[in-house]
Amino acid sequence: MSLLEITDLHARVAEKEILKGISLTVNPGEVHAIMGPNGSGKSTLAGVLSGRDAYEVTSGEVLFDGQDLLELEPEERAQLGVFLAFQYPVEIPGVNNTYFLRAALNSIRKYRGEEEMSAPAFLKLVREKMNVLHIDQSLLNRPVNEGFSGGEKKRNEIFQMAVLDPKLAILDETDSGLDIDALKTVAEGVNALRSPERAIIVVTHYQRLLNYIVPDFVHVLSGGRIVKSGGKELALELEAQGYGWLESGSTSELVAA
Amino acid sequence: MEISLKTETMTVPNSYLRDFTGTDTGSDNLGPAWLSSLRQRAAARFAEVGFPTRRDEEWRFTNVSPIAETPFTLATKAQSALSPEGLSRFTYEDMAGTQLVFVNGHFASELSSETFPDGVTVKTLASAMAEDSPLVETHLGKSAKFGTEAFVALNTAALEDGAFVHIAAGAIVTAPIHLIFVSTADSGPTVSHPRTLIVVEENSQVTLIESYAGPAGQVYFTNAVTEVVVSENAVVDHYKVQRESEKAYHIATMQIALARSANFSSHSIGLGGQLIRNDINAYLGGEGIECTLNGVYLGKDKQVFDNHTSIDHAMPHCNSHEIYKGILNDYSRGVFNGKIFVREDAQKTDAKQTNQTLLLSPYAQIDTKPQLEIFADDVKCTHGATIGQLNAEALFYLQARGIKKDDARALLTYAFASDIVSRIKVDAIRSQLDRVLLAERALEGIAG
C-alpha cells in the first residue's frame, strides 16, 4: 500500500482557488521533489497536507496509510507520522527548545501507545541526533527558534524531524535563503534520515538542493496542477530552462529540450 | 453658567462611617493621640470625598458602586477563626521563612511565627503602637496620603491593627517574610482594612510576600494599604499574591518611598477576585535608585483588574523598569494606567514601561493608558503597549509537532508571561504561577 495517496485535490484560500486537481502517489522509501515557480501552489500543498487551516479543500482526497488525512487535526497528523519542516520556522519566546521537543515526542509516543520517554533517555537521543546536524548544545537550552540565524532555524527543523522520526517528511523550501555550507549540512541531515520506511517530499523553488538530496521523482507544479513528472534529470532540465517555459503555456518545449 | 470643579461623589452609606469614626463606636483602642487624630482626619476626609465615581479620571474604567452598595460589616474576632488546615491552602508548603497571619484584620497569633531572624522585627501594628514605637509614628500614614484617595482614607479611618515589619540596618534576610491576610464571610459580607508598614533600614536586604486570599464563593471586601520605606542602599524584593475569592472585592494601595541607591522590585500577581484595583506608587527620592514594578494578572469570567502605577523620578541617575502583562479570558476586563513623572532635577533618568495584554476571548477587553510627564531634558523614557491574541502561526507550529491544541494554547499563554515569571526569585511563587498559567498541566522544564 502506498503511504500517501493524493487524488484530484482542489483547495482554495479565501475565494482563490490555488490547487486545481493534484494527484500524487508516494510510497515508503521514496523521495519526491516538487518544484515550481512562485504562486504555483507548492506551499499550499504542503500546508494542506499538514493541516494549516487557512486552506479550504473543496474536493479531492488524501489518504495517509489508508486513513483520510484531511479529516484530522494538525496534531493528529503529526502523531500519525506526518512532519512538516516549515519554510519559516516560528520563534516561540519563553518555551525552551528541549522542553518543546520532548513534549512533542511524548505526545507522538503516547498516541502510538508507547511509554513516555524519560529525560535521560531523551537527552541521549537528542545528543545523538545533534551531532548529525551539527547543532550546538546551547541551541537546545534557548527558547524555540528565538534569535536563531536562518541556517540554525532550518537545521533545527531537520533536527526535530530526526528526533520525531516521521513516516512522511515534507520539507517546505527548507533550502531557501541558505548558504552553501548550511545547505550541505541540511541535506546531509536529510540524507541520513532516508530509509526504506520513510518517504520525503522536498518542496523547492531551486534545483540546487536536489544536487545534495537526490530525488527519485520530480514533479513540476504550475497553476495548481502537476504539469510534468519525471526522474531526477527533470530537475536539471528545469534548471537549464528556468520556469519561463511554463508561462509560454505548453510543456512541449521542455519535452523537446 | 456656574461650573463646578468638585468631583461628583457617591453618597457614602452610613455603615462605612459609623464603624470608623471612633466617636460613634466609643472604642477605647484608638491608641496614642497621634493615631486617633490621624484616624479622625481620615474619616472626615472620607466623609467628604466619598467613593469615587467613573467621572473621576482615575476611576474612569472601574465602577465601585457594588462596593458602596453592599452592606459589608467588620467581622469580630470570634467570627474570624481559621484552622491551620484552612490556612494551608493559602501558604506554600515548600517555602522556608516566617509568617504573620491576619484573619478579617484580626491577628492570628496561633498561625503566625513566634520568632524571626536576627535584625528582623515583625509584629502587629497594634502592639508596636501600644509600645509607642517612634518608627511607627514617624512612618505610618506618611507616604500613603489620603488627600483624594478615598480608599486610603477609609483604610486609615479604620486603622486599629496591621502588620509592622522592620529590618535593621545591615541585616541580610534570606528567607521570605510572608504576610497573609485571609478573609472569611461565612455569615454575610465582611470588610477588612489590612494595613502594613514596612521599614527597611540602610544596607539591608529582604524578601517580602503579601498574600490576600479567602474561601471560594464568599463575598467580602479587602481594602488594603501598604507603606514601604526603603532606606539607603537597601534591597527589597516584594511580592503580592492576590488569590481572593471569585466574588471578592479587592482594593489596594502600595506606597513606596525609596532613598539613595535603594533597589526595590515589586511583583504583583493577580489571580482572584471579581473587582480588583491596585495602586502602586513609588517615589524615587535619591540618586542611583533601581525600581522595578512588574505585574501579571489572569482574568476570567467577568473579573475586572484595574492596575494603576506611578513612578515618580525626583532625583538624577535613577532607573525604573516596568512590565505589566494581562491575560484575559471570557468577559474579563483589564485596565492599565502607568504614570511616570520625571521631575526637573531627575536628569539621566532611564525609565522603561511595557504593558502587554493577551486577549484569549473576543469578549475580553483592556483599556491601557501610559502617562509620561517629563520635565527634565536629558533622560531616556520609553513606553509601549501591545494588545493581541495568541499567535496563530505559533499555535500551528506546536500542533504540527504533535502537541494538542489545548496544550499548545496553554504553552503559548505561559510563554507570554514567561519574562515576568522568570524574574520571580521565590521558587514557590514561581511554580505556583507556572501551574496556573499552564492550567495545571505538568510541563516540567518548560522555561526557555
Side-chain angles (χ1 to χ4, degrees), chain B residues 7-11 49-65 150-151:
Chain B
T7 311
E8 185 178 315
T9 57
M10 230 180 276
T11 320
V49 296
F51 286 106
T53 70
R54 294 183 58 185
R55 285 166 195 249
D56 183 334
E57 180 61 26
E58 295 303 318
W59 293 88
R60 237 176 89 195
F61 300 107
T62 302
N63 177 11
V64 299
S65 59
F151 289 100

Short mmCIF file of all heavy atoms in Angstrom, two decimals, chain B residues 7-11 49-65 150-151:
data_model
loop_
_atom_site.label_atom_id
_atom_site.label_comp_id
_atom_site.label_asym_id
_atom_site.label_seq_id
_atom_site.Cartn_x
_atom_site.Cartn_y
_atom_site.Cartn_z
N THR B 7 -15.34 67.10 42.13
CA THR B 7 -15.65 65.80 41.57
C THR B 7 -16.95 65.29 42.17
O THR B 7 -17.17 65.38 43.37
CB THR B 7 -14.54 64.80 41.93
OG1 THR B 7 -13.30 65.40 41.63
CG2 THR B 7 -14.68 63.53 41.13
N GLU B 8 -17.77 64.81 41.31
CA GLU B 8 -19.03 64.26 41.83
C GLU B 8 -18.71 63.01 42.64
O GLU B 8 -17.92 62.16 42.24
CB GLU B 8 -19.95 63.91 40.67
CG GLU B 8 -21.30 63.45 41.17
CD GLU B 8 -22.23 63.16 40.00
OE1 GLU B 8 -22.28 63.98 39.07
OE2 GLU B 8 -22.89 62.12 40.04
N THR B 9 -19.31 62.87 43.76
CA THR B 9 -19.04 61.70 44.58
C THR B 9 -20.33 60.94 44.85
O THR B 9 -21.42 61.46 44.75
CB THR B 9 -18.42 62.10 45.93
OG1 THR B 9 -19.31 63.00 46.57
CG2 THR B 9 -17.07 62.73 45.76
N MET B 10 -20.10 59.71 45.18
CA MET B 10 -21.22 58.86 45.51
C MET B 10 -21.57 59.09 46.97
O MET B 10 -20.70 59.37 47.79
CB MET B 10 -20.77 57.42 45.35
CG MET B 10 -21.68 56.57 44.54
SD MET B 10 -20.96 54.94 44.49
CE MET B 10 -19.79 55.08 43.17
N THR B 11 -22.80 58.97 47.31
CA THR B 11 -23.19 59.10 48.70
C THR B 11 -22.53 57.98 49.49
O THR B 11 -22.50 56.83 49.05
CB THR B 11 -24.71 58.98 48.85
OG1 THR B 11 -25.29 59.66 47.76
CG2 THR B 11 -25.18 59.56 50.15
N VAL B 49 -14.95 63.15 50.59
CA VAL B 49 -14.74 62.76 49.18
C VAL B 49 -15.68 61.62 48.76
O VAL B 49 -16.09 61.54 47.61
CB VAL B 49 -13.28 62.36 48.87
CG1 VAL B 49 -12.36 63.55 49.07
CG2 VAL B 49 -12.81 61.17 49.69
N GLY B 50 -16.00 60.75 49.67
CA GLY B 50 -16.90 59.63 49.34
C GLY B 50 -16.26 58.67 48.34
O GLY B 50 -15.09 58.82 47.96
N PHE B 51 -17.03 57.69 47.94
CA PHE B 51 -16.49 56.74 46.95
C PHE B 51 -16.34 57.42 45.60
O PHE B 51 -17.18 58.22 45.21
CB PHE B 51 -17.44 55.55 46.82
CG PHE B 51 -17.41 54.62 47.99
CD1 PHE B 51 -18.43 54.58 48.91
CD2 PHE B 51 -16.32 53.78 48.17
CE1 PHE B 51 -18.40 53.73 49.99
CE2 PHE B 51 -16.27 52.91 49.24
CZ PHE B 51 -17.31 52.88 50.17
N PRO B 52 -15.29 57.10 44.89
CA PRO B 52 -15.11 57.71 43.57
C PRO B 52 -16.14 57.20 42.57
O PRO B 52 -16.65 56.09 42.72
CB PRO B 52 -13.70 57.27 43.17
CG PRO B 52 -13.43 56.04 43.95
CD PRO B 52 -14.20 56.17 45.23
N THR B 53 -16.42 58.00 41.59
CA THR B 53 -17.31 57.55 40.51
C THR B 53 -16.50 57.52 39.21
O THR B 53 -15.35 57.96 39.16
CB THR B 53 -18.49 58.50 40.30
OG1 THR B 53 -17.98 59.72 39.75
CG2 THR B 53 -19.21 58.77 41.61
N ARG B 54 -17.14 57.08 38.16
CA ARG B 54 -16.42 56.99 36.89
C ARG B 54 -16.19 58.36 36.26
O ARG B 54 -15.50 58.46 35.25
CB ARG B 54 -17.15 56.04 35.95
CG ARG B 54 -17.11 54.62 36.50
CD ARG B 54 -17.75 53.63 35.57
NE ARG B 54 -17.11 53.66 34.27
CZ ARG B 54 -17.54 52.96 33.24
NH1 ARG B 54 -18.58 52.20 33.36
NH2 ARG B 54 -16.92 53.04 32.08
N ARG B 55 -16.72 59.40 36.87
CA ARG B 55 -16.40 60.74 36.38
C ARG B 55 -15.01 61.15 36.84
O ARG B 55 -14.43 62.11 36.32
CB ARG B 55 -17.41 61.75 36.92
CG ARG B 55 -18.74 61.65 36.22
CD ARG B 55 -19.79 62.42 37.00
NE ARG B 55 -21.10 62.05 36.53
CZ ARG B 55 -21.90 62.86 35.86
NH1 ARG B 55 -21.53 64.09 35.61
NH2 ARG B 55 -23.08 62.44 35.46
N ASP B 56 -14.52 60.47 37.84
CA ASP B 56 -13.17 60.73 38.33
C ASP B 56 -12.20 60.06 37.35
O ASP B 56 -12.29 58.86 37.09
CB ASP B 56 -13.05 60.10 39.73
CG ASP B 56 -11.70 60.36 40.36
OD1 ASP B 56 -10.72 60.57 39.62
OD2 ASP B 56 -11.64 60.35 41.60
N GLU B 57 -11.27 60.84 36.81
CA GLU B 57 -10.35 60.34 35.77
C GLU B 57 -9.63 59.06 36.22
O GLU B 57 -9.42 58.14 35.43
CB GLU B 57 -9.34 61.44 35.42
CG GLU B 57 -8.31 61.05 34.36
CD GLU B 57 -8.93 60.71 33.01
OE1 GLU B 57 -10.03 61.21 32.70
OE2 GLU B 57 -8.31 59.90 32.28
N GLU B 58 -9.27 59.00 37.49
CA GLU B 58 -8.54 57.83 37.99
C GLU B 58 -9.42 56.59 38.12
O GLU B 58 -8.94 55.50 38.39
CB GLU B 58 -7.90 58.15 39.35
CG GLU B 58 -6.83 59.24 39.31
CD GLU B 58 -5.71 58.92 38.35
OE1 GLU B 58 -5.28 57.75 38.31
OE2 GLU B 58 -5.28 59.83 37.62
N TRP B 59 -10.71 56.76 37.97
CA TRP B 59 -11.64 55.64 38.13
C TRP B 59 -12.56 55.51 36.92
O TRP B 59 -13.65 54.97 37.00
CB TRP B 59 -12.46 55.82 39.41
CG TRP B 59 -11.60 55.71 40.63
CD1 TRP B 59 -10.91 56.71 41.24
CD2 TRP B 59 -11.32 54.52 41.37
NE1 TRP B 59 -10.22 56.22 42.31
CE2 TRP B 59 -10.45 54.88 42.42
CE3 TRP B 59 -11.72 53.18 41.24
CZ2 TRP B 59 -9.96 53.94 43.34
CZ3 TRP B 59 -11.24 52.26 42.16
CH2 TRP B 59 -10.36 52.64 43.19
N ARG B 60 -12.07 56.00 35.80
CA ARG B 60 -12.89 56.07 34.59
C ARG B 60 -13.42 54.72 34.15
O ARG B 60 -14.50 54.61 33.61
CB ARG B 60 -12.03 56.66 33.46
CG ARG B 60 -12.61 57.89 32.85
CD ARG B 60 -11.66 58.43 31.82
NE ARG B 60 -11.91 57.84 30.51
CZ ARG B 60 -11.05 57.92 29.51
NH1 ARG B 60 -9.90 58.52 29.68
NH2 ARG B 60 -11.34 57.38 28.35
N PHE B 61 -12.61 53.69 34.34
CA PHE B 61 -12.97 52.40 33.75
C PHE B 61 -13.50 51.41 34.78
O PHE B 61 -13.80 50.27 34.46
CB PHE B 61 -11.77 51.79 33.03
CG PHE B 61 -11.27 52.65 31.91
CD1 PHE B 61 -10.09 53.35 32.03
CD2 PHE B 61 -12.00 52.76 30.73
CE1 PHE B 61 -9.62 54.16 30.99
CE2 PHE B 61 -11.56 53.56 29.70
CZ PHE B 61 -10.36 54.26 29.83
N THR B 62 -13.54 51.84 36.03
CA THR B 62 -13.90 50.89 37.08
C THR B 62 -15.00 51.47 37.96
O THR B 62 -14.85 52.53 38.55
CB THR B 62 -12.65 50.54 37.91
OG1 THR B 62 -11.67 50.00 37.01
CG2 THR B 62 -12.98 49.51 38.97
N ASN B 63 -16.08 50.74 38.00
CA ASN B 63 -17.25 51.18 38.75
C ASN B 63 -17.26 50.50 40.12
O ASN B 63 -17.38 49.29 40.22
CB ASN B 63 -18.48 50.78 37.94
CG ASN B 63 -19.77 51.12 38.65
OD1 ASN B 63 -19.76 51.82 39.67
ND2 ASN B 63 -20.87 50.61 38.13
N VAL B 64 -17.11 51.31 41.17
CA VAL B 64 -17.04 50.71 42.51
C VAL B 64 -18.39 50.75 43.23
O VAL B 64 -18.46 50.44 44.42
CB VAL B 64 -15.97 51.40 43.39
CG1 VAL B 64 -14.59 51.24 42.77
CG2 VAL B 64 -16.28 52.87 43.61
N SER B 65 -19.44 51.08 42.52
CA SER B 65 -20.73 51.17 43.22
C SER B 65 -21.15 49.86 43.89
O SER B 65 -21.78 49.90 44.94
CB SER B 65 -21.83 51.73 42.32
OG SER B 65 -21.99 50.92 41.20
N ALA B 150 -9.88 58.03 48.32
CA ALA B 150 -10.97 57.67 49.21
C ALA B 150 -10.69 56.37 49.96
O ALA B 150 -10.93 56.27 51.16
CB ALA B 150 -12.26 57.54 48.42
N PHE B 151 -10.15 55.38 49.25
CA PHE B 151 -9.99 54.07 49.87
C PHE B 151 -8.84 54.07 50.88
O PHE B 151 -8.88 53.35 51.87
CB PHE B 151 -9.81 52.98 48.81
CG PHE B 151 -11.08 52.70 48.07
CD1 PHE B 151 -11.31 53.24 46.81
CD2 PHE B 151 -12.08 51.92 48.64
CE1 PHE B 151 -12.50 53.00 46.13
CE2 PHE B 151 -13.27 51.68 47.97
CZ PHE B 151 -13.48 52.22 46.72
#
